[in-house]
Amino acid sequence: MKLFDEWKRILLSLPLKCLLPELCVGAVVVMDNVPAHKVKEIEPLIQSKAARVLYQSPPES
């Protein structure tokens, strides 16, 4: 469980340090469907800056 928590901390540090300071009101963050992008804490962080998240549709087979 500690390894998972460490990965989660690392994944959350990138949007906190790089993305959030650059977001403006009304911005749209487009993310693909990589499981790392679906950490439940990321979307509320983006929404806290009055921006929104748009997930790409999964590729069709």
Side-chain angles (χ1 to χ4, degrees):
M1 197 64 166
K2 280 189 171 189
L3 181 60
F4 175 78
D5 291 338
E6 184 63 17
W7 273 109
K8 193 172 183 180
R9 185 188 65 75
I10 291 167
L11 287 172
L12 288 173
S13 70
L14 291 173
L16 286 172
K17 291 181 181 179
C18 301
L19 178 64
L20 290 181
E22 300 298 323
L23 286 178
C24 58
V25 173
V28 177
V29 178
V30 179
M31 293 197 285
D32 58 18
N33 289 294
V34 173
H37 294 162
K38 293 187 175 185
V39 175
K40 66 180 179 178
E41 291 86 356
I42 292 178
E43 192 166 346
L45 289 172
I46 293 170
Q47 292 171 341
S48 74
K49 302 292 273 184
R52 66 185 187 108
V53 177
L54 179 64
Y55 290 98
Q56 289 181 328
S57 299
E60 294 181 22
S61 312

